[in-house]
Structures are given as C-alpha cells and as structure tokens.
Amino acid sequence: MPPKVLTSSESPEKSLKGGRPQKVGFISLGCPKNLVDSEVMMGLVARAGAELTSRPEDADVIVVNTCSFIESAQQESVNTILEMAGHKTSGKAKKLVVAGCLVERFRDQIRKDIPEVDAVVGTGELENILAAAGLAADRGRNEATKDSPFVVLPSRPEGDARAAQGRFSRESWDGAIRDLPNYLYDDSTPRILATPRHMAYIKIAEGCDHPCTFCIIPQLRGRFRSRRFESVVAEAERLAQGGVREITLIGQDTTCYGEEFGLKDGLALLLGKLAQIEDLRWIRFLYAYPNKITGRLLETIAQHEKICSYMDVPLQHASASVLKRMKRGGSADVFLRSIAKMRRMVPDLTLRTSFIVGFPGETEKEFEELCDFVREAQFDWLGAFAYSDQEGAAAYALGRKLSLREIERRRKHLMGIQRQISRKKKKALVGREFDLLLEGESEESELLLEGRTAMHAPEIDGKVFVNDFPEEMTPQPGEFYRCQITETYDYDLVAKIV
Ligand code: SF4
C-alpha cells in the first residue's frame, strides 16, 4: 500500500504575513499514538504559519513520522523515507524531515545512510518540528514551554524499580541520545485532526513501565506518564464542541492512567467524567493491561451508555510458561476467569485481544495451549502477530528462536481458528439492531456505504457495509443511524438503515 499523506478535517488559519506560506505534508506510519504525535506536529507548523498539504509533490517540506515497533514497521518506514526523498529530486520539496520512533532508535544512522534527510525529530522533541521545517528557531529539547509543558512528573514506584533494573537503557543503541523522551502534549497544544471530523483519539498517557521482554517501546517512548485529568477533560470538551462525536482514549497502557498522581481507578474516573460531556456519543479506550482491569472500571463501563461496551486487552499469549518468559505473568486459567468477570459485569461486551506467536522457545505444546485458550475464550476480535526479534529487547538474547516459516505457520493456524469463531459470532448478529456511525462511501464499492457500530473500534475491527436505507433518506457521514444486520461474512457485516 502506498504511504498515505495525512489530510486534515480542520482548516487552520494562516498567520504568515507576506510571502507564500511553506507547504508541509505529513505521512504518519504505525499506530494511533503516532498519529496523535503527527496531529500535534501539524498543529505546531500550522500555527507557525505553514500550509498543510496532502500532496507530497506540492510540499516544500515533507515529514515522515515513523514507526519502529517491529522489523516490518522499520522497513516500511525506511521505504517511505526513500520514496519521499524522491520528491527532493523530482518534485519541489526542499526539506525532508524524519520523525518518530525510528529516530529514537537509529538517529545517527538515518542521517548517515539517507543523506536526503535534512533533520530528525524524536518522539520526545515534537516542538523541534518547527526548526526542522525551517519555521522557527530550535527551542531545544526538554525546555518547558507554555504550550507543551515538559513537566517533571511524579514517578510510579514500578517505573523507578524498572529504571534501576536498566529497563530504559539505550546505551547499546548507536547514536541514541541519553535523555529518555518525556514530552506530553496538553490541551493547550495546537493539534489538527487528521481523522474524519466526527472522531478523534486522545492520548491520555505516554511511555510504559512494564517489563515485557519482546518490547522496546519503553526505550523508544520513555517512562509511563499520564496527562493531567483536567487537561484530558478540557480537550474532550473542545473536540466535542468542534463536532467530534466519538472519542478513543489511547496510551501504551491506558489502565495505569493517573497512578503517579495517586489516582486510584484513574481511568474509571476519567471515563465517568467524559461520559458527562453532552455532545459526545461514544467513548472507548484501547490497550488495557490484563491485571489492571478493576471492578470499578467494569462497573463504570456498564453504568454509562456512552462508554462503549468494548474492551481491547492485548494478552500476548496464554501459556503460563511463555507469559513468564515474556515477563507478563498470567495464564489461560487466570485470563478465562478475568474474561468471565468482564462478560458478567459488562453485558454484551465486545472483547478484542492480540497475541504474539512464535516467541523464542515456544513449543508445540505451548502453542496448542494458546489455541485451546482461543477456542475457549471466544473473542470477538483477535490479532495475531509473528514474533519479531528486536535488538535491545530482553528476548533478543533468548535462545531457541523459531524459523520465520514456522512462526508464520502458527500465526495462520491461530487466525484460522479465530476465523471460524468470528464467522459464528457474526452470524448470530443477523436480525439484531444497532446504532451505526456512518463513515461515508465504502472503499470497496461506490454502491455501498460504510460505518461502524459500538462493537467496532476505528480502523482496527471489521467493517459494516450499508446496502439499503429508506428511500426518502440521504445518509450523511458522521451521523448516527439505527441499523439492522442482514448478512455476515467472516469478519464484516452487512446492514440496512431502518
Ligand atoms: S505493556 Fe508491554 S508490550 Fe505494551 S508497550 Fe509496555 S512493554 Fe510494550
């Protein structure tokens, strides 16, 4: 898929007086957390007077916000940078800026190996996008400013312990700067949405203190830190006033939200507060850590109609021995009990998870445990990722690595099991009615419309195709409609508006 240059659903005002404003094009790779960083950088450059463009061939400055989570993501990032570098020779681009996780990991190498790159901006220095794009003087890393406070946050004891164990060390990474990223945007930071007008992500926390041995995100993004409660609420209110109807809260681990401020059940409190914002219709959160799901959180989801009965809990594996090697803990039994509790307390819960298949030393028996667990747990949505060896992650040093071929065989096998579960679950929805948020014309066919129900988080879950609506109606993107499910596929649904 060719890289998508971000377009904005907002029209920022130009503040440049005299001369043509710089045109800046952004490409955001990776997850929604990276997308929010791109939106913040878009807000910063627009406020500095630049014009945003969705056409790289028109851009004076091209920014590639990269992902470095796994090897395939790194490769996609490098390919995109090289493709965009072409616009400096064949197009009008004067500057190519690389931002994001790849910079934290390969800062020096990017500049050395890709001479077309004019500047790099790490995940902790988003404000430096201004200097990088030639829009303002470099304010320097870690300097507190009014708009984007680099606050010195209280730390979590868990994070202190991990730091002492060397969890965040980047010493072996050539060129990585010593300071860990500590940036966190705020409600006063300019941000331009690149999502459709009716939905937005809100990053409520950044970084991660967990010790998962396959993961380098803590080294890339820094220690866990939460945004202030009032800041998140203020941002949600402003977004709702601007027409946003659905908000998705994100962070590496949303369930730790507010712990360093001494907030108990911070996420539940935050959700309860956001549910009082009148213009919001759907609120959901992603990336829950399994052992951080409290009774209070489940009660809060069940209590408020606006909070979608939807949970995304990446479990990563189900075999106790693999989970131990992953340094995550838990087991199939523990997870099954916890899932039963979630389903008991939140009626009609939609449950999403993801697994890593082929972790070093994963035996046939351990893999079978995972398959049995998936058969039993009956998830609504499931993602399976092939284990990817990351230099700098503790699992890199583990022996008994599986071949790529075997890992892929297992991944396909697991997805085959889930396909059958999904097909059955989707079939059971035929005839039932749901609220549907219409997103617009379908990418599959211009004869179809496409939307989502509360069971579908933006961009990750299956689709709902709408092939019928009352004759007198002209359905509008961004509006909610009552729909009835008429047909189902393995993952997707077909509905009519009633
Ligand atoms: S919880 Fe584990 S997998 Fe998720 S970001 Fe933190 S260290 Fe990585």
PDB file of all heavy atoms in Angstrom, residues 61-78:
ATOM      1  N   VAL A  61       8.100  20.995   2.370  1.00  0.00           N
ATOM      2  CA  VAL A  61       8.696  20.178   3.439  1.00  0.00           C
ATOM      3  C   VAL A  61       7.865  18.904   3.580  1.00  0.00           C
ATOM      4  O   VAL A  61       6.630  18.967   3.670  1.00  0.00           O
ATOM      5  CB  VAL A  61       8.672  20.930   4.788  1.00  0.00           C
ATOM      6  CG1 VAL A  61       9.312  20.087   5.882  1.00  0.00           C
ATOM      7  CG2 VAL A  61       9.340  22.286   4.684  1.00  0.00           C
ATOM      8  N   ILE A  62       8.513  17.770   3.573  1.00  0.00           N
ATOM      9  CA  ILE A  62       7.795  16.505   3.798  1.00  0.00           C
ATOM     10  C   ILE A  62       8.274  15.920   5.129  1.00  0.00           C
ATOM     11  O   ILE A  62       9.479  15.828   5.366  1.00  0.00           O
ATOM     12  CB  ILE A  62       8.046  15.488   2.659  1.00  0.00           C
ATOM     13  CG1 ILE A  62       7.567  16.076   1.318  1.00  0.00           C
ATOM     14  CG2 ILE A  62       7.326  14.169   2.935  1.00  0.00           C
ATOM     15  CD1 ILE A  62       7.851  15.193   0.118  1.00  0.00           C
ATOM     16  N   VAL A  63       7.306  15.558   5.968  1.00  0.00           N
ATOM     17  CA  VAL A  63       7.642  14.963   7.270  1.00  0.00           C
ATOM     18  C   VAL A  63       7.140  13.518   7.270  1.00  0.00           C
ATOM     19  O   VAL A  63       5.960  13.267   7.026  1.00  0.00           O
ATOM     20  CB  VAL A  63       6.964  15.730   8.430  1.00  0.00           C
ATOM     21  CG1 VAL A  63       7.394  15.147   9.777  1.00  0.00           C
ATOM     22  CG2 VAL A  63       7.276  17.220   8.360  1.00  0.00           C
ATOM     23  N   VAL A  64       8.035  12.582   7.530  1.00  0.00           N
ATOM     24  CA  VAL A  64       7.623  11.183   7.668  1.00  0.00           C
ATOM     25  C   VAL A  64       7.710  10.832   9.148  1.00  0.00           C
ATOM     26  O   VAL A  64       8.809  10.823   9.722  1.00  0.00           O
ATOM     27  CB  VAL A  64       8.523  10.231   6.838  1.00  0.00           C
ATOM     28  CG1 VAL A  64       8.015   8.799   6.946  1.00  0.00           C
ATOM     29  CG2 VAL A  64       8.575  10.657   5.378  1.00  0.00           C
ATOM     30  N   ASN A  65       6.551  10.583   9.772  1.00  0.00           N
ATOM     31  CA  ASN A  65       6.544  10.206  11.190  1.00  0.00           C
ATOM     32  C   ASN A  65       6.566   8.680  11.266  1.00  0.00           C
ATOM     33  O   ASN A  65       5.590   8.018  10.921  1.00  0.00           O
ATOM     34  CB  ASN A  65       5.315  10.787  11.901  1.00  0.00           C
ATOM     35  CG  ASN A  65       5.446  10.705  13.407  1.00  0.00           C
ATOM     36  OD1 ASN A  65       6.551  10.459  13.922  1.00  0.00           O
ATOM     37  ND2 ASN A  65       4.362  10.884  14.109  1.00  0.00           N
ATOM     38  N   THR A  66       7.688   8.137  11.701  1.00  0.00           N
ATOM     39  CA  THR A  66       7.965   6.711  11.511  1.00  0.00           C
ATOM     40  C   THR A  66       7.560   5.840  12.698  1.00  0.00           C
ATOM     41  O   THR A  66       7.368   6.312  13.810  1.00  0.00           O
ATOM     42  CB  THR A  66       9.478   6.515  11.312  1.00  0.00           C
ATOM     43  OG1 THR A  66      10.131   7.065  12.452  1.00  0.00           O
ATOM     44  CG2 THR A  66       9.962   7.188  10.051  1.00  0.00           C
ATOM     45  N   CYS A  67       7.500   4.543  12.419  1.00  0.00           N
ATOM     46  CA  CYS A  67       7.224   3.527  13.438  1.00  0.00           C
ATOM     47  C   CYS A  67       8.438   2.594  13.481  1.00  0.00           C
ATOM     48  O   CYS A  67       9.055   2.314  12.456  1.00  0.00           O
ATOM     49  CB  CYS A  67       5.974   2.751  13.034  1.00  0.00           C
ATOM     50  SG  CYS A  67       5.609   1.353  14.097  1.00  0.00           S
ATOM     51  N   SER A  68       8.757   2.119  14.681  1.00  0.00           N
ATOM     52  CA  SER A  68       9.928   1.238  14.790  1.00  0.00           C
ATOM     53  C   SER A  68       9.614   0.047  15.678  1.00  0.00           C
ATOM     54  O   SER A  68      10.492  -0.540  16.289  1.00  0.00           O
ATOM     55  CB  SER A  68      11.107   2.029  15.365  1.00  0.00           C
ATOM     56  OG  SER A  68      12.258   1.259  15.382  1.00  0.00           O
ATOM     57  N   PHE A  69       8.342  -0.311  15.771  1.00  0.00           N
ATOM     58  CA  PHE A  69       7.903  -1.321  16.716  1.00  0.00           C
ATOM     59  C   PHE A  69       8.502  -2.685  16.390  1.00  0.00           C
ATOM     60  O   PHE A  69       9.089  -3.347  17.236  1.00  0.00           O
ATOM     61  CB  PHE A  69       6.371  -1.364  16.718  1.00  0.00           C
ATOM     62  CG  PHE A  69       5.789  -2.341  17.690  1.00  0.00           C
ATOM     63  CD1 PHE A  69       6.313  -2.464  18.972  1.00  0.00           C
ATOM     64  CD2 PHE A  69       4.722  -3.142  17.338  1.00  0.00           C
ATOM     65  CE1 PHE A  69       5.779  -3.364  19.882  1.00  0.00           C
ATOM     66  CE2 PHE A  69       4.192  -4.050  18.242  1.00  0.00           C
ATOM     67  CZ  PHE A  69       4.725  -4.159  19.509  1.00  0.00           C
ATOM     68  N   ILE A  70       8.341  -3.113  15.156  1.00  0.00           N
ATOM     69  CA  ILE A  70       8.910  -4.396  14.736  1.00  0.00           C
ATOM     70  C   ILE A  70       9.643  -4.203  13.407  1.00  0.00           C
ATOM     71  O   ILE A  70       9.516  -3.151  12.779  1.00  0.00           O
ATOM     72  CB  ILE A  70       7.839  -5.514  14.597  1.00  0.00           C
ATOM     73  CG1 ILE A  70       6.675  -5.045  13.723  1.00  0.00           C
ATOM     74  CG2 ILE A  70       7.338  -5.966  15.954  1.00  0.00           C
ATOM     75  CD1 ILE A  70       5.652  -6.138  13.458  1.00  0.00           C
ATOM     76  N   GLU A  71      10.354  -5.245  12.989  1.00  0.00           N
ATOM     77  CA  GLU A  71      11.212  -5.089  11.817  1.00  0.00           C
ATOM     78  C   GLU A  71      10.444  -4.662  10.562  1.00  0.00           C
ATOM     79  O   GLU A  71      10.901  -3.814   9.799  1.00  0.00           O
ATOM     80  CB  GLU A  71      11.948  -6.400  11.565  1.00  0.00           C
ATOM     81  CG  GLU A  71      13.265  -6.170  10.864  1.00  0.00           C
ATOM     82  CD  GLU A  71      13.935  -7.485  10.528  1.00  0.00           C
ATOM     83  OE1 GLU A  71      14.044  -8.319  11.443  1.00  0.00           O
ATOM     84  OE2 GLU A  71      14.312  -7.653   9.363  1.00  0.00           O
ATOM     85  N   SER A  72       9.240  -5.248  10.370  1.00  0.00           N
ATOM     86  CA  SER A  72       8.494  -4.895   9.156  1.00  0.00           C
ATOM     87  C   SER A  72       8.087  -3.417   9.195  1.00  0.00           C
ATOM     88  O   SER A  72       8.040  -2.750   8.158  1.00  0.00           O
ATOM     89  CB  SER A  72       7.266  -5.790   8.998  1.00  0.00           C
ATOM     90  OG  SER A  72       6.448  -5.675  10.132  1.00  0.00           O
ATOM     91  N   ALA A  73       7.813  -2.902  10.402  1.00  0.00           N
ATOM     92  CA  ALA A  73       7.450  -1.488  10.523  1.00  0.00           C
ATOM     93  C   ALA A  73       8.666  -0.612  10.221  1.00  0.00           C
ATOM     94  O   ALA A  73       8.557   0.433   9.577  1.00  0.00           O
ATOM     95  CB  ALA A  73       6.924  -1.198  11.925  1.00  0.00           C
ATOM     96  N   GLN A  74       9.843  -1.066  10.659  1.00  0.00           N
ATOM     97  CA  GLN A  74      11.068  -0.302  10.381  1.00  0.00           C
ATOM     98  C   GLN A  74      11.319  -0.262   8.872  1.00  0.00           C
ATOM     99  O   GLN A  74      11.669   0.768   8.311  1.00  0.00           O
ATOM    100  CB  GLN A  74      12.265  -0.954  11.079  1.00  0.00           C
ATOM    101  CG  GLN A  74      12.242  -0.799  12.585  1.00  0.00           C
ATOM    102  CD  GLN A  74      13.314  -1.626  13.292  1.00  0.00           C
ATOM    103  OE1 GLN A  74      14.119  -2.302  12.659  1.00  0.00           O
ATOM    104  NE2 GLN A  74      13.313  -1.564  14.612  1.00  0.00           N
ATOM    105  N   GLN A  75      11.083  -1.416   8.239  1.00  0.00           N
ATOM    106  CA  GLN A  75      11.312  -1.488   6.800  1.00  0.00           C
ATOM    107  C   GLN A  75      10.348  -0.578   6.050  1.00  0.00           C
ATOM    108  O   GLN A  75      10.725   0.141   5.125  1.00  0.00           O
ATOM    109  CB  GLN A  75      11.153  -2.955   6.329  1.00  0.00           C
ATOM    110  CG  GLN A  75      11.715  -3.236   4.943  1.00  0.00           C
ATOM    111  CD  GLN A  75      13.152  -2.753   4.775  1.00  0.00           C
ATOM    112  OE1 GLN A  75      14.031  -3.123   5.535  1.00  0.00           O
ATOM    113  NE2 GLN A  75      13.401  -1.873   3.794  1.00  0.00           N
ATOM    114  N   GLU A  76       9.087  -0.583   6.488  1.00  0.00           N
ATOM    115  CA  GLU A  76       8.087   0.288   5.854  1.00  0.00           C
ATOM    116  C   GLU A  76       8.493   1.757   6.027  1.00  0.00           C
ATOM    117  O   GLU A  76       8.359   2.569   5.105  1.00  0.00           O
ATOM    118  CB  GLU A  76       6.694   0.050   6.476  1.00  0.00           C
ATOM    119  CG  GLU A  76       5.603   0.775   5.702  1.00  0.00           C
ATOM    120  CD  GLU A  76       4.280   0.896   6.461  1.00  0.00           C
ATOM    121  OE1 GLU A  76       4.234   0.596   7.659  1.00  0.00           O
ATOM    122  OE2 GLU A  76       3.296   1.324   5.824  1.00  0.00           O
ATOM    123  N   SER A  77       9.019   2.073   7.210  1.00  0.00           N
ATOM    124  CA  SER A  77       9.440   3.452   7.469  1.00  0.00           C
ATOM    125  C   SER A  77      10.577   3.849   6.523  1.00  0.00           C
ATOM    126  O   SER A  77      10.538   4.919   5.910  1.00  0.00           O
ATOM    127  CB  SER A  77       9.911   3.592   8.921  1.00  0.00           C
ATOM    128  OG  SER A  77       8.837   3.413   9.811  1.00  0.00           O
ATOM    129  N   VAL A  78      11.564   2.954   6.400  1.00  0.00           N
ATOM    130  CA  VAL A  78      12.709   3.273   5.527  1.00  0.00           C
ATOM    131  C   VAL A  78      12.242   3.412   4.075  1.00  0.00           C
ATOM    132  O   VAL A  78      12.615   4.366   3.367  1.00  0.00           O
ATOM    133  CB  VAL A  78      13.808   2.183   5.661  1.00  0.00           C
ATOM    134  CG1 VAL A  78      14.887   2.364   4.613  1.00  0.00           C
ATOM    135  CG2 VAL A  78      14.411   2.219   7.057  1.00  0.00           C
TER     136      VAL A  78
END
